[in-house]
Amino acid sequence: MNDLTRRGFLASAATTTVLALAAPPASAGTSPSRWARPGGRVRPMVRWWWPDAHVDPAEIRREIDQLADAGFGGAEIAAVHHSIRDKSVLDPAGHGWGTPAWNAAVVAALDQAARRGLTIDLTIGPSWPAAVPTITPGSEAAVKELAHGSVAVAGGTTYAGEVPPPAVAGHPVRKLLLVQAARIEPAHSTRDETGLDPASVVEVSADGGRVSWTAPAEGEWLLISYWERGSGQRPESGPHTAPESYVVDHFSRAGTRAVIDFWESTLLTPAVRRLLKRAGGALFEDSIEIETDALPWTPGLLAEFRRRRGYDLAPFLPVIVLRDEDQVFSFDAALTRHARKDYWDTISELFNENHLAMLRDWAHSIGLRLRAQPYGLRTDAIASAAVLDVAEGESLGFKNLDDYRCLAGGRDLAGREVLSCEAGAYQGGAYTTTWKKLLRTMGGAYAAGLNQTVLHGFSYATAPGAGWPGFAAFTPYNGTAGYAESWGPRQPTWRHITDISGYFARIHQAMREGTPRADVAVLRQTGYTKTGLGAGWFTGSGVPLGWTHQFISGPLLGLPAARVARGRLAPSGPAYKALFVEGDKFYANECTMTVEVARRLLEYAGAGLPIVLLGDWRAASVPGVARDGENERLRALVAELLARPTVRMVTAQADVPAALDALGVRPDVRYATASTLLHARRVAGDVDYYYLVNGKHVENPKPPTAPIDHEVTLARTARDGVPYLLDPWTGRIQRLARYVADGDGIRLRVTLLPGESTVVAIGRPGLFGTPARTSPHVVATDADLVRFDGDALVIRASRAGTYTTTLSDGRTVTSVIGPVPEPVALPSWRLEVTDRRPDGTVTHRLDLDRLAPWSEIPELADVSGVGVYTTGVRLEGGAYLELGEVTDTCRVLVDGRRLDPVNQLHPVVDLGRAAKTLQVEVATPLGNRLRVADPAVYGGLTRQQYGLLGPVRLVPYGEARVAL
């Protein structure tokens, strides 16, 4: 299939299959109540792990209620039980995936979800990858591999004997595909691969499992056999069914049909079908972890390859085959690279067409969307994201934010809304993961386009053999603390879960407003993700200055949205200002491009799109094995492209910014200094929404992320637009009083701690229920803060004095703040701790003359639970309460009244005007208790520092009105 046909496949997918299920965009509009109380569609979800059907429908209903009460919008049911080592307790015949007991539990979940306004997603099979119990390894629909064998034959000698058996053991039922001979060419050898002469490859006949062949006199030769067989792969941590399930072929329609047929015949009972219409969300498929010691394969691949690539694969099989995931043979470097590229491109197309698209269309027929993690093999995940209704990434496997940007590019060019993430699967983090860690992990991902969080995860209450605190899908894991996390009522921090879920929901809501915007599209010849490979200059140098980018791949250029108007690519979507192309990072950085893509870029340049090419593109080649005259046609098109006035070619990354500047390309957001600030922009009509976070590109950056405090200029759609601060923790909205209107932008100061985020909207005066003020705003002040109070301006400071404020109309005004009390340290507290234990709870009461971690207090050294700190104060004016360090979550009460949710990454609370009693409620993970309750599994954990660690200060402030 040529590029045009592939593009046509994606275009058809984008314009036809999603329409029946397209939901209206999630939009808070400008209603303050919708920001304060986000709807179910934007609320976070959980992976809901069941120990197959060892579940009670009544408990299922209780757990749906727990999730609804906690502020979640949905759950994904998954049969996962890696922690159960004694598989004899599973009873797959009576309580396996797909049994009547399983279906009854699904009915209970769907019915209660419908009652509570939640949606339920269903995994495509038990555990992962997709598998069904109706096939065996030898079935047509089962996953296949191509194994090779070889034997050396000296020049001029004859080999007569059995066809060389596979080099790696596997399923005994196998089919001989063909036998070849090839001459060894040492000049083509690498450290790990045996070099072969491509011109010497010939097919050798075999009869009855035997071969007789005489090698030419010159050189040393190899006889190579190729065996097609089922791999026998089963889903993770089975058995889940009886008979046992086997993984399906993900590259053939037969494999996908086996999945659909099992659902139609066994899982989709009349009750399930009826309830899916009320509470069904999506069909979900986890990452494509096809495990084989040979080469991923599918019957008919040779014919499909010829149809799509225009030449025979067979002569190139020697450099394609794998052994233990490693290449075995090689031709010359360029030919080897191009042949492998063609093979994996073919696999990618078959996966997208025969698996994802077919599943998506069927899911639509039963009222579901298709959500999937389209990576794990060397396939075009960017193109896959355009096929899916919802593409999903993961915080565990994704190496940095560019992995999310790959999926975001496919989503946005296809006009999809949601990019999801499996969040918080930390290895060894069971029962020690804090919400603060998760918040810091996820902060940057939202700036890369993520707008749905699926927590990993929520375990069903119990299972055969499970001890306190209950069944957990991934812990114990190999006898020790496993993967995080089993969130839920078993965790003390669940007491504060509505504060956390509300934060996630508001971030999601902001990140689904209108349409996304990105400065630059980075065109990739190979659309892999989960690789950590970024974009030249942009990832390392552009992002710290305010630039944003997404990745796209060749097949996406055929989508309806991939057009140029007014100098923008995809003007109705991300509206890229420029296209950036560099060498293929997955294939030796070679400057490659298909002829069809080159033609498309020529069209774009003619329509006024700025294009920057990095590298020497004058000698470009096609990505795969070139057909006669193909490279010459490509180079002629590239020469024409380079002659266009909107195109620049640079040879070094350092020259990219000058090329962009010469083309008049500027970022939407500009930082006053290089920064770890990350952002995402979305535009809804004439309102701009900016998500801002002091985030991190990788999980453990070096040096660590530091606090930021600098000016930022944000582009605005409305010329009279003014900025609003949308607090994702409290749900409150206020118009900002201090900023500078800078032409088509707004300049304001951003101060954030590591991981901390906020949302700024820019729109006409009077949005979000605020007064449509005509009074001037502040452009500069030496006070700590300035705010609007109705139409009045009020300054705030922690010290008495005369403060100078400059207004937007040019006037300078002074204001006097009278005496302000000095800050007060609060070291002494009364502490009451509810200690979670296997046999119930125990209460500890202590008087503290200084704050310390529980691990340093003998009575609390191994305690996990909820602690309430109480102290008396005398506050007769405004003051902040600075909590300092807290582990893990906290709430604050003043005179028994609970305040707004605390920003867990910056726990400073405005107490208001008066207070006599302060209470700080702190909840912890369970790890410290489990260290002693289950030392065989958790005894190796490091004791964590729980509690209110401080230092805690009361910081009074004074206020004064600004004379207008």
Side-chain angles (χ1 to χ4, degrees):
M1 180 188 294
N2 62 31
D3 265 8
L4 183 60
T5 309
R6 290 198 299 276
R7 294 189 302 127
F9 160 72
L10 281 178
S12 173
T15 56
T16 61
T17 59
V18 75
L19 294 181
L21 291 176
S27 175
T30 54
S31 166
S33 63
R34 295 180 70 181
W35 178 252
R37 296 179 294 279
R41 289 186 64 246
V42 298
R43 291 193 168 273
M45 296 178 60
V46 297
R47 293 257 197 282
W48 190 11
W49 297 308
W50 292 6
D52 292 341
H54 289 277
V55 295
D56 177 5
E59 174 62 24
I60 290 294
R61 292 180 182 274
R62 280 193 293 273
E63 293 185 9
I64 286 287
D65 287 343
Q66 291 167 359
L67 290 168
D69 293 342
F72 287 84
E76 167 209 310
I77 298 173
V80 179
H81 44 64
H82 286 57
S83 60
I84 299 178
R85 308 311 298 171
D86 181 6
K87 303 301 183 183
S88 66
V89 305
L90 292 176
D91 180 27
H95 293 86
W97 178 79
T99 60
W102 174 270
N103 289 339
V106 170
V107 166
L110 287 167
D111 181 67
Q112 193 67 12
R115 295 170 188 265
R116 294 303 307 272
L118 272 67
T119 58
I120 295 295
D121 290 7
L122 301 170
T123 54
I124 192 172
S127 196
W128 71 91
V132 290
T134 51
I135 62 174
T136 65
S139 300
E140 178 191 11
V143 62
K144 299 294 189 298
E145 62 186 12
L146 188 70
H148 81 283
S150 65
V151 62
V153 183
T157 65
T158 299
Y159 174 85
E162 292 186 355
V163 172
V168 293
H171 194 269
V173 178
R174 62 195 188 209
K175 170 187 172 183
L176 181 64
L177 193 68
L178 76 157
V179 180
Q180 293 174 333
R183 184 175 62 81
I184 295 175
E185 175 50 74
H188 296 160
S189 293
T190 69
R191 184 178 63 180
D192 301 314
E193 302 168 13
T194 300
L196 301 175
D197 176 7
S200 71
V201 178
V202 295
E203 186 169 345
V204 176
S205 61
D207 185 15
R210 297 182 64 82
V211 63
S212 179
W213 179 75
T214 300
E218 294 183 0
E220 297 295 317
W221 293 75
L222 289 176
L223 274 177
I224 307 173
S225 59
Y226 304 93
W227 300 90
E228 182 181 284
R229 66 189 183 194
S231 73
Q233 184 179 355
R234 293 170 288 187
E236 288 269 335
S237 192
H240 298 272
T241 59
E244 195 159 2
S245 293
Y246 287 92
V247 174
V248 300
D249 183 351
H250 284 58
F251 314 122
S252 74
R253 296 182 68 83
T256 307
R257 174 51 59 189
V259 172
I260 293 172
D261 287 348
F262 185 77
W263 276 76
E264 291 282 359
S265 66
T266 306
L267 296 171
L268 293 177
T269 66
V272 170
R273 288 180 185 272
R274 182 180 67 255
L275 288 166
L276 284 177
K277 296 177 181 178
R278 297 176 57 203
L283 188 71
F284 173 70
E285 182 166 17
D286 215 317
S287 53
I288 314 305
E289 298 176 21
I290 303 299
E291 297 176 353
T292 172
D293 292 328
L295 181 73
W297 195 254
T298 187
L301 180 57
L302 292 177
E304 283 287 353
F305 187 94
R306 179 168 184 77
R307 182 171 72 85
R308 295 164 186 269
R309 307 273 86 84
Y311 67 93
D312 288 329
L313 175 62
F316 297 89
L317 278 177
V319 300
I320 305 298
V321 292
L322 299 174
R323 178 177 180 177
D324 297 329
E325 300 185 352
D326 292 326
Q327 307 289 162
V328 183
F329 307 111
S330 61
F331 298 152
D332 66 88
L335 182 60
T336 299
R337 189 165 59 243
H338 292 182
R340 290 172 183 171
K341 167 71 171 165
D342 277 342
Y343 168 80
W344 286 110
D345 280 355
T346 303
I347 287 290
S348 181
E349 292 163 17
L350 294 174
F351 172 64
N352 283 336
E353 295 171 30
N354 293 340
H355 189 71
L356 291 185
M358 187 173 173
L359 274 178
R360 178 204 59 207
D361 293 347
W362 171 73
H364 291 184
S365 75
I366 59 172
L368 299 177
R369 297 180 296 166
L370 180 63
R371 174 170 59 91
Q373 298 176 347
Y375 48 84
L377 288 175
R378 285 178 263 182
T379 54
D380 187 347
I382 298 173
S384 298
V387 176
L388 294 165
D389 297 309
V390 179
E392 181 168 289
E394 58 178 272
S395 65
L396 174 66
F398 275 22
K399 295 176 175 60
N400 58 39
L401 299 185
D402 281 320
D403 287 341
Y404 293 104
R405 293 181 181 116
C406 289
L407 299 182
R411 174 199 63 180
D412 291 341
L413 268 184
R416 311 294 195 228
E417 180 189 16
V418 177
L419 176 58
S420 183
C421 181
E422 174 188 335
Y426 303 104
Q427 185 175 8
Y431 295 118
T432 59
T433 295
T434 64
W435 285 106
K436 290 181 176 64
K437 178 174 182 175
L438 180 60
L439 291 167
R440 291 188 180 107
T441 292
M442 299 308 299
Y446 301 121
L450 178 70
N451 56 11
Q452 176 172 283
T453 307
V454 182
L455 291 181
H456 185 281
F458 185 97
S459 294
Y460 180 78
T462 189
W468 186 81
F471 166 68
F474 290 101
T475 190
Y477 196 87
N478 293 330
T480 62
Y483 287 85
E485 182 64 272
S486 283
W487 302 111
R490 70 184 68 182
Q491 297 271 8
T493 54
W494 199 254
R495 182 172 177 84
H496 303 153
I497 190 59
T498 54
D499 299 353
I500 303 290
S501 64
Y503 169 84
F504 283 132
R506 293 183 192 99
I507 297 298
H508 297 162
Q509 186 157 281
M511 289 300 297
R512 297 194 200 180
E513 292 288 355
T515 56
R517 291 287 189 269
D519 296 322
V520 176
V522 179
L523 178 62
R524 282 218 154 139
Q525 302 89 337
T526 302
Y528 302 162
T529 193
K530 199 180 174 183
T531 67
L533 292 180
W537 188 78
F538 287 98
T539 294
S541 301
V543 169
L545 297 175
W547 289 88
T548 57
H549 65 277
Q550 293 181 340
F551 296 93
I552 62 176
S553 62
L556 270 61
L557 301 185
L559 291 171
R563 61 184 182 85
V564 173
R566 301 179 301 280
R568 298 290 187 98
L569 174 59
S572 59
Y576 305 117
K577 300 176 182 181
L579 183 66
F580 177 70
V581 190
E582 58 186 330
D584 192 334
K585 293 201 169 188
F586 301 96
Y587 288 91
N589 289 309
E590 189 176 4
C591 290
T592 62
M593 185 184 299
T594 66
V595 170
E596 180 62 26
V597 166
R599 291 195 182 107
R600 193 68 164 165
L601 266 56
L602 196 57
E603 294 174 15
Y604 290 165
L609 179 69
I611 300 175
V612 176
L613 298 102
L614 174 60
D616 187 357
W617 286 85
R618 294 168 297 183
S621 62
V622 296
V625 176
R627 289 172 250 178
D628 288 344
E630 198 170 17
N631 280 335
E632 290 72 20
R633 291 195 297 275
L634 172 66
R635 289 164 189 164
L637 289 167
V638 170
E640 190 175 352
L641 179 67
L642 293 174
R644 294 297 174 96
T646 60
V647 178
R648 296 290 187 276
M649 185 178 76
V650 297
T651 57
Q653 291 191 32
D655 297 329
V656 170
L660 293 168
D661 188 65
L663 294 168
V665 180
R666 310 285 187 274
D668 282 343
V669 176
R670 302 188 301 277
Y671 303 161
T673 183
S675 174
T676 52
L677 181 65
L678 301 166
H679 71 273
R681 180 191 184 193
R682 298 186 69 95
V683 179
D686 61 356
V687 181
D688 301 282
Y689 293 86
Y690 287 95
Y691 168 75
L692 304 169
V693 62
N694 184 9
K696 51 188 180 180
H697 183 60
V698 296
E699 180 61 23
N700 297 301
K702 295 179 180 180
T705 306
I708 59 171
D709 182 2
H710 60 78
E711 289 191 330
V712 175
T713 302
L714 308 175
R716 58 179 174 177
T717 301
R719 291 288 298 179
D720 63 344
V722 298
Y724 300 84
L725 185 67
L726 283 62
D727 190 323
W729 285 104
T730 66
R732 296 184 183 275
I733 301 174
Q734 58 178 304
R735 178 176 163 184
L736 289 175
R738 179 181 176 180
Y739 62 93
V740 176
D742 185 8
D744 58 356
I746 294 289
R747 189 170 78 247
L748 46 80
R749 195 159 198 89
V750 174
T751 303
L752 295 169
L753 293 179
E756 189 183 4
S757 68
T758 192
V759 175
V760 172
I762 302 176
R764 60 175 173 78
L767 295 182
F768 305 106
T770 63
R773 300 180 178 91
T774 58
S775 56
H777 62 271
V778 173
V779 296
T781 183
D782 52 6
D784 296 345
L785 175 151
V786 61
R787 63 182 178 87
F788 277 115
D789 181 7
D791 279 329
L793 285 168
V794 176
I795 62 166
R796 177 182 295 181
S798 59
R799 292 190 177 278
T802 300
Y803 293 90
T804 302
T805 299
T806 303
L807 302 177
S808 56
D809 60 8
R811 288 181 293 150
T812 297
V813 181
T814 58
S815 307
V816 177
I817 291 180
V820 179
E822 290 294 318
V824 178
L826 299 175
S828 302
W829 298 78
R830 194 166 61 252
L831 172 59
E832 180 175 304
V833 176
T834 303
D835 178 1
R836 298 276 186 99
R837 299 185 177 190
D839 56 353
T841 60
V842 173
T843 301
H844 306 272
R845 295 181 178 89
L846 302 92
D847 289 316
L848 305 177
D849 57 10
R850 68 178 184 88
L851 291 171
W854 293 3
S855 56
E856 296 178 8
I857 302 173
E859 300 94 324
L860 305 178
D862 294 310
V863 168
S864 295
V866 177
V868 178
Y869 294 77
T870 304
T871 193
V873 296
R874 177 176 292 179
L875 177 64
E876 297 178 352
Y880 297 110
L881 178 64
E882 298 178 350
L883 295 180
E885 186 178 351
V886 187
T887 300
D888 177 26
T889 57
C890 63
R891 282 177 173 166
V892 175
L893 294 87
V894 174
D895 299 333
R897 174 177 56 88
R898 195 170 90 192
L899 301 187
D900 285 342
V902 176
N903 179 341
Q904 300 295 326
L905 296 179
H906 190 186
V908 176
V909 179
D910 188 346
L911 298 178
R913 306 303 302 177
K916 295 181 179 179
T917 303
L918 297 181
Q919 288 181 306
V920 181
E921 185 178 82
V922 178
T924 78
L926 274 178
N928 283 3
R929 174 53 63 192
L930 279 165
R931 289 179 69 254
V932 294
D934 190 357
V937 175
Y938 301 102
L941 294 177
T942 300
R943 189 180 276 139
Q944 292 179 289
Q945 295 190 332
Y946 294 160
L948 177 61
L949 311 184
V952 179
R953 292 199 315 161
L954 200 63
V955 182
Y957 59 76
E959 293 189 324
R961 286 182 175 255
V962 177
L964 297 179

